[in-house]
mmCIF file of all heavy atoms in Angstrom:
data_model
loop_
_atom_site.group_PDB
_atom_site.id
_atom_site.type_symbol
_atom_site.label_atom_id
_atom_site.label_comp_id
_atom_site.label_asym_id
_atom_site.label_seq_id
_atom_site.Cartn_x
_atom_site.Cartn_y
_atom_site.Cartn_z
ATOM 1 N N ALA A 308 21.867 -4.863 -48.448
ATOM 2 C CA ALA A 308 20.837 -5.374 -49.351
ATOM 3 C C ALA A 308 20.903 -4.718 -50.723
ATOM 4 O O ALA A 308 20.731 -5.388 -51.745
ATOM 5 C CB ALA A 308 19.454 -5.168 -48.732
ATOM 6 N N ILE A 309 21.159 -3.399 -50.769
ATOM 7 C CA ILE A 309 21.136 -2.714 -52.063
ATOM 8 C C ILE A 309 22.530 -2.570 -52.675
ATOM 9 O O ILE A 309 22.667 -2.117 -53.811
ATOM 10 C CB ILE A 309 20.485 -1.321 -51.934
ATOM 11 C CG1 ILE A 309 21.373 -0.357 -51.150
ATOM 12 C CG2 ILE A 309 19.101 -1.434 -51.305
ATOM 13 C CD1 ILE A 309 20.834 1.064 -51.089
ATOM 14 N N GLY A 310 23.571 -2.964 -51.924
ATOM 15 C CA GLY A 310 24.934 -2.886 -52.429
ATOM 16 C C GLY A 310 25.168 -3.841 -53.581
ATOM 17 O O GLY A 310 24.527 -4.888 -53.693
ATOM 18 N N GLY A 311 26.114 -3.496 -54.444
ATOM 19 C CA GLY A 311 26.422 -4.331 -55.602
ATOM 20 C C GLY A 311 26.986 -5.682 -55.200
ATOM 21 O O GLY A 311 27.662 -5.819 -54.180
ATOM 22 N N GLU A 312 26.701 -6.679 -56.004
ATOM 23 C CA GLU A 312 27.179 -8.030 -55.711
ATOM 24 C C GLU A 312 28.702 -8.098 -55.748
ATOM 25 O O GLU A 312 29.312 -8.937 -55.073
ATOM 26 C CB GLU A 312 26.584 -9.014 -56.725
ATOM 27 C CG GLU A 312 25.063 -9.116 -56.641
ATOM 28 C CD GLU A 312 24.488 -10.039 -57.709
ATOM 29 O OE1 GLU A 312 25.109 -11.090 -57.961
ATOM 30 O OE2 GLU A 312 23.443 -9.704 -58.295
ATOM 31 N N ASP A 313 29.327 -7.205 -56.520
ATOM 32 C CA ASP A 313 30.779 -7.207 -56.603
ATOM 33 C C ASP A 313 31.433 -6.738 -55.304
ATOM 34 O O ASP A 313 32.627 -6.968 -55.074
ATOM 35 C CB ASP A 313 31.249 -6.322 -57.764
ATOM 36 C CG ASP A 313 30.717 -4.900 -57.655
ATOM 37 O OD1 ASP A 313 29.639 -4.703 -57.056
ATOM 38 O OD2 ASP A 313 31.387 -3.982 -58.167
ATOM 39 N N THR A 314 30.667 -6.059 -54.430
ATOM 40 C CA THR A 314 31.198 -5.601 -53.143
ATOM 41 C C THR A 314 30.668 -6.429 -51.983
ATOM 42 O O THR A 314 30.808 -6.035 -50.819
ATOM 43 C CB THR A 314 30.836 -4.117 -52.920
ATOM 44 O OG1 THR A 314 29.399 -3.973 -52.911
ATOM 45 C CG2 THR A 314 31.414 -3.239 -54.001
ATOM 46 N N GLY A 315 30.048 -7.564 -52.282
ATOM 47 C CA GLY A 315 29.529 -8.436 -51.229
ATOM 48 C C GLY A 315 28.082 -8.190 -50.884
ATOM 49 O O GLY A 315 27.535 -8.845 -49.983
ATOM 50 N N GLY A 316 27.409 -7.232 -51.567
ATOM 51 C CA GLY A 316 26.009 -6.951 -51.312
ATOM 52 C C GLY A 316 25.092 -7.896 -52.056
ATOM 53 O O GLY A 316 25.528 -8.803 -52.769
ATOM 54 N N LEU A 317 23.779 -7.651 -51.897
ATOM 55 C CA LEU A 317 22.786 -8.528 -52.505
ATOM 56 C C LEU A 317 22.190 -7.952 -53.785
ATOM 57 O O LEU A 317 21.444 -8.646 -54.477
ATOM 58 C CB LEU A 317 21.663 -8.823 -51.499
ATOM 59 C CG LEU A 317 22.106 -9.515 -50.198
ATOM 60 C CD1 LEU A 317 20.917 -9.693 -49.257
ATOM 61 C CD2 LEU A 317 22.763 -10.865 -50.498
ATOM 62 N N GLY A 318 22.470 -6.676 -54.080
ATOM 63 C CA GLY A 318 22.030 -6.095 -55.343
ATOM 64 C C GLY A 318 20.528 -5.963 -55.499
ATOM 65 O O GLY A 318 19.999 -6.045 -56.608
ATOM 66 N N TYR A 319 19.807 -5.717 -54.391
ATOM 67 C CA TYR A 319 18.349 -5.594 -54.444
ATOM 68 C C TYR A 319 17.965 -4.126 -54.587
ATOM 69 O O TYR A 319 18.716 -3.232 -54.193
ATOM 70 C CB TYR A 319 17.747 -6.188 -53.173
ATOM 71 C CG TYR A 319 16.263 -6.456 -53.236
ATOM 72 C CD1 TYR A 319 15.731 -7.281 -54.222
ATOM 73 C CD2 TYR A 319 15.392 -5.893 -52.308
ATOM 74 C CE1 TYR A 319 14.372 -7.539 -54.279
ATOM 75 C CE2 TYR A 319 14.035 -6.143 -52.351
ATOM 76 C CZ TYR A 319 13.531 -6.958 -53.350
ATOM 77 O OH TYR A 319 12.181 -7.210 -53.410
ATOM 78 N N GLY A 320 16.784 -3.858 -55.121
ATOM 79 C CA GLY A 320 16.341 -2.489 -55.369
ATOM 80 C C GLY A 320 16.060 -1.718 -54.084
ATOM 81 O O GLY A 320 15.499 -2.255 -53.130
ATOM 82 N N TYR A 321 16.422 -0.418 -54.098
ATOM 83 C CA TYR A 321 16.259 0.420 -52.910
ATOM 84 C C TYR A 321 14.804 0.551 -52.492
ATOM 85 O O TYR A 321 14.451 0.331 -51.324
ATOM 86 C CB TYR A 321 16.857 1.805 -53.170
ATOM 87 C CG TYR A 321 16.491 2.833 -52.126
ATOM 88 C CD1 TYR A 321 17.048 2.795 -50.851
ATOM 89 C CD2 TYR A 321 15.570 3.841 -52.414
ATOM 90 C CE1 TYR A 321 16.704 3.731 -49.886
ATOM 91 C CE2 TYR A 321 15.229 4.785 -51.456
ATOM 92 C CZ TYR A 321 15.791 4.720 -50.200
ATOM 93 O OH TYR A 321 15.438 5.649 -49.248
ATOM 94 N N ARG A 322 13.930 0.923 -53.408
ATOM 95 C CA ARG A 322 12.529 1.141 -53.055
ATOM 96 C C ARG A 322 11.868 -0.143 -52.576
ATOM 97 O O ARG A 322 11.088 -0.133 -51.614
ATOM 98 C CB ARG A 322 11.769 1.720 -54.251
ATOM 99 C CG ARG A 322 12.158 3.152 -54.593
ATOM 100 C CD ARG A 322 11.399 3.655 -55.807
ATOM 101 N NE ARG A 322 11.873 4.972 -56.210
ATOM 102 C CZ ARG A 322 11.533 5.566 -57.341
ATOM 103 N NH1 ARG A 322 10.730 4.958 -58.204
ATOM 104 N NH2 ARG A 322 11.997 6.772 -57.631
ATOM 105 N N SER A 323 12.164 -1.247 -53.234
ATOM 106 C CA SER A 323 11.570 -2.524 -52.835
ATOM 107 C C SER A 323 12.029 -2.931 -51.441
ATOM 108 O O SER A 323 11.229 -3.408 -50.623
ATOM 109 C CB SER A 323 11.938 -3.621 -53.843
ATOM 110 O OG SER A 323 11.436 -3.316 -55.123
ATOM 111 N N PHE A 324 13.296 -2.703 -51.154
ATOM 112 C CA PHE A 324 13.802 -3.078 -49.825
ATOM 113 C C PHE A 324 13.254 -2.143 -48.760
ATOM 114 O O PHE A 324 12.958 -2.576 -47.637
ATOM 115 C CB PHE A 324 15.331 -3.042 -49.799
ATOM 116 C CG PHE A 324 15.893 -3.545 -48.496
ATOM 117 C CD1 PHE A 324 15.949 -4.898 -48.224
ATOM 118 C CD2 PHE A 324 16.342 -2.661 -47.532
ATOM 119 C CE1 PHE A 324 16.445 -5.367 -47.016
ATOM 120 C CE2 PHE A 324 16.838 -3.106 -46.328
ATOM 121 C CZ PHE A 324 16.890 -4.471 -46.071
ATOM 122 N N LEU A 325 13.080 -0.877 -49.083
ATOM 123 C CA LEU A 325 12.555 0.080 -48.110
ATOM 124 C C LEU A 325 11.147 -0.322 -47.674
ATOM 125 O O LEU A 325 10.778 -0.183 -46.502
ATOM 126 C CB LEU A 325 12.536 1.487 -48.709
ATOM 127 C CG LEU A 325 12.148 2.618 -47.760
ATOM 128 C CD1 LEU A 325 13.083 2.662 -46.559
ATOM 129 C CD2 LEU A 325 12.160 3.948 -48.500
ATOM 130 N N ILE A 326 10.362 -0.859 -48.585
ATOM 131 C CA ILE A 326 9.017 -1.322 -48.242
ATOM 132 C C ILE A 326 9.098 -2.466 -47.225
ATOM 133 O O ILE A 326 8.336 -2.517 -46.252
ATOM 134 C CB ILE A 326 8.262 -1.764 -49.509
ATOM 135 C CG1 ILE A 326 7.977 -0.550 -50.389
ATOM 136 C CG2 ILE A 326 6.964 -2.476 -49.143
ATOM 137 C CD1 ILE A 326 7.408 -0.901 -51.755
ATOM 138 N N LEU A 327 10.045 -3.385 -47.426
ATOM 139 C CA LEU A 327 10.229 -4.482 -46.473
ATOM 140 C C LEU A 327 10.617 -3.946 -45.093
ATOM 141 O O LEU A 327 10.121 -4.414 -44.056
ATOM 142 C CB LEU A 327 11.313 -5.443 -46.972
ATOM 143 C CG LEU A 327 11.056 -6.175 -48.293
ATOM 144 C CD1 LEU A 327 12.229 -7.106 -48.611
ATOM 145 C CD2 LEU A 327 9.762 -6.967 -48.232
ATOM 146 N N GLN A 328 11.499 -2.949 -45.068
ATOM 147 C CA GLN A 328 11.917 -2.362 -43.795
ATOM 148 C C GLN A 328 10.755 -1.694 -43.065
ATOM 149 O O GLN A 328 10.600 -1.848 -41.849
ATOM 150 C CB GLN A 328 13.033 -1.336 -44.022
ATOM 151 C CG GLN A 328 14.426 -1.918 -43.983
ATOM 152 C CD GLN A 328 15.485 -0.845 -43.832
ATOM 153 O OE1 GLN A 328 15.471 0.156 -44.544
ATOM 154 N NE2 GLN A 328 16.410 -1.054 -42.926
ATOM 155 N N VAL A 329 9.930 -0.974 -43.787
ATOM 156 C CA VAL A 329 8.800 -0.289 -43.160
ATOM 157 C C VAL A 329 7.822 -1.297 -42.569
ATOM 158 O O VAL A 329 7.276 -1.097 -41.471
ATOM 159 C CB VAL A 329 8.103 0.637 -44.175
ATOM 160 C CG1 VAL A 329 6.788 1.168 -43.614
ATOM 161 C CG2 VAL A 329 9.011 1.799 -44.554
ATOM 162 N N ILE A 330 7.593 -2.404 -43.261
ATOM 163 C CA ILE A 330 6.718 -3.461 -42.721
ATOM 164 C C ILE A 330 7.296 -4.005 -41.418
ATOM 165 O O ILE A 330 6.590 -4.164 -40.414
ATOM 166 C CB ILE A 330 6.543 -4.597 -43.748
ATOM 167 C CG1 ILE A 330 5.766 -4.097 -44.975
ATOM 168 C CG2 ILE A 330 5.831 -5.791 -43.116
ATOM 169 C CD1 ILE A 330 5.709 -5.087 -46.117
ATOM 170 N N ALA A 331 8.605 -4.277 -41.414
ATOM 171 C CA ALA A 331 9.243 -4.829 -40.217
ATOM 172 C C ALA A 331 9.239 -3.833 -39.064
ATOM 173 O O ALA A 331 9.100 -4.210 -37.895
ATOM 174 C CB ALA A 331 10.674 -5.265 -40.537
ATOM 175 N N ILE A 332 9.357 -2.541 -39.389
ATOM 176 C CA ILE A 332 9.361 -1.509 -38.352
ATOM 177 C C ILE A 332 8.048 -1.504 -37.571
ATOM 178 O O ILE A 332 8.008 -1.141 -36.393
ATOM 179 C CB ILE A 332 9.616 -0.123 -38.989
ATOM 180 C CG1 ILE A 332 11.100 0.019 -39.348
ATOM 181 C CG2 ILE A 332 9.200 0.997 -38.069
ATOM 182 C CD1 ILE A 332 11.997 0.251 -38.159
ATOM 183 N N LEU A 333 6.965 -1.922 -38.199
ATOM 184 C CA LEU A 333 5.678 -1.983 -37.498
ATOM 185 C C LEU A 333 5.749 -2.957 -36.317
ATOM 186 O O LEU A 333 5.135 -2.725 -35.268
ATOM 187 C CB LEU A 333 4.568 -2.399 -38.471
ATOM 188 C CG LEU A 333 4.284 -1.415 -39.612
ATOM 189 C CD1 LEU A 333 3.233 -1.993 -40.555
ATOM 190 C CD2 LEU A 333 3.825 -0.071 -39.067
ATOM 191 N N LEU A 334 6.505 -4.032 -36.466
ATOM 192 C CA LEU A 334 6.699 -4.965 -35.349
ATOM 193 C C LEU A 334 7.575 -4.349 -34.273
ATOM 194 O O LEU A 334 7.369 -4.602 -33.075
ATOM 195 C CB LEU A 334 7.319 -6.272 -35.852
ATOM 196 C CG LEU A 334 6.366 -7.227 -36.575
ATOM 197 C CD1 LEU A 334 7.137 -8.428 -37.120
ATOM 198 C CD2 LEU A 334 5.258 -7.694 -35.647
ATOM 199 N N PHE A 335 8.553 -3.558 -34.672
ATOM 200 C CA PHE A 335 9.361 -2.804 -33.716
ATOM 201 C C PHE A 335 8.440 -1.970 -32.819
ATOM 202 O O PHE A 335 8.528 -2.001 -31.589
ATOM 203 C CB PHE A 335 10.330 -1.915 -34.505
ATOM 204 C CG PHE A 335 11.238 -1.044 -33.679
ATOM 205 C CD1 PHE A 335 11.440 -1.253 -32.311
ATOM 206 C CD2 PHE A 335 11.923 0.012 -34.283
ATOM 207 C CE1 PHE A 335 12.291 -0.443 -31.572
ATOM 208 C CE2 PHE A 335 12.773 0.822 -33.559
ATOM 209 C CZ PHE A 335 12.940 0.599 -32.182
ATOM 210 N N ALA A 336 7.518 -1.240 -33.445
ATOM 211 C CA ALA A 336 6.586 -0.405 -32.683
ATOM 212 C C ALA A 336 5.668 -1.245 -31.808
ATOM 213 O O ALA A 336 5.375 -0.893 -30.659
ATOM 214 C CB ALA A 336 5.770 0.458 -33.645
ATOM 215 N N ALA A 337 5.203 -2.377 -32.313
ATOM 216 C CA ALA A 337 4.251 -3.207 -31.569
ATOM 217 C C ALA A 337 4.880 -3.823 -30.324
ATOM 218 O O ALA A 337 4.203 -4.007 -29.297
ATOM 219 C CB ALA A 337 3.705 -4.303 -32.487
ATOM 220 N N PHE A 338 6.167 -4.155 -30.383
ATOM 221 C CA PHE A 338 6.810 -4.833 -29.256
ATOM 222 C C PHE A 338 7.306 -3.870 -28.175
ATOM 223 O O PHE A 338 7.655 -4.320 -27.087
ATOM 224 C CB PHE A 338 7.960 -5.708 -29.768
ATOM 225 C CG PHE A 338 7.521 -7.087 -30.193
ATOM 226 C CD1 PHE A 338 7.016 -7.300 -31.470
ATOM 227 C CD2 PHE A 338 7.593 -8.152 -29.321
ATOM 228 C CE1 PHE A 338 6.593 -8.558 -31.864
ATOM 229 C CE2 PHE A 338 7.172 -9.420 -29.709
ATOM 230 C CZ PHE A 338 6.668 -9.626 -30.983
ATOM 231 N N ILE A 339 7.350 -2.580 -28.442
ATOM 232 C CA ILE A 339 7.800 -1.630 -27.422
ATOM 233 C C ILE A 339 6.855 -1.583 -26.222
ATOM 234 O O ILE A 339 7.291 -1.704 -25.072
ATOM 235 C CB ILE A 339 8.012 -0.240 -28.044
ATOM 236 C CG1 ILE A 339 9.305 -0.230 -28.867
ATOM 237 C CG2 ILE A 339 8.082 0.842 -26.968
ATOM 238 C CD1 ILE A 339 9.562 1.062 -29.616
ATOM 239 N N PRO A 340 5.525 -1.415 -26.404
ATOM 240 C CA PRO A 340 4.647 -1.445 -25.224
ATOM 241 C C PRO A 340 4.635 -2.798 -24.532
ATOM 242 O O PRO A 340 4.520 -2.866 -23.301
ATOM 243 C CB PRO A 340 3.271 -1.082 -25.792
ATOM 244 C CG PRO A 340 3.370 -1.255 -27.259
ATOM 245 C CD PRO A 340 4.794 -1.037 -27.619
ATOM 246 N N LEU A 341 4.762 -3.892 -25.295
ATOM 247 C CA LEU A 341 4.844 -5.216 -24.672
ATOM 248 C C LEU A 341 6.074 -5.293 -23.780
ATOM 249 O O LEU A 341 6.014 -5.845 -22.663
ATOM 250 C CB LEU A 341 4.900 -6.300 -25.751
ATOM 251 C CG LEU A 341 5.110 -7.736 -25.249
ATOM 252 C CD1 LEU A 341 3.960 -8.163 -24.337
ATOM 253 C CD2 LEU A 341 5.256 -8.703 -26.423
#
Side-chain angles (χ1 to χ4, degrees):
I309 70 175
E312 296 177 40
D313 56 333
T314 61
L317 300 177
Y319 195 57
Y321 168 73
R322 290 178 186 170
S323 298
F324 185 77
L325 186 58
I326 292 172
L327 298 181
Q328 271 196 312
V329 170
I330 293 172
I332 284 285
L333 296 176
L334 283 175
F335 179 16
F338 274 84
I339 285 176
L341 175 61

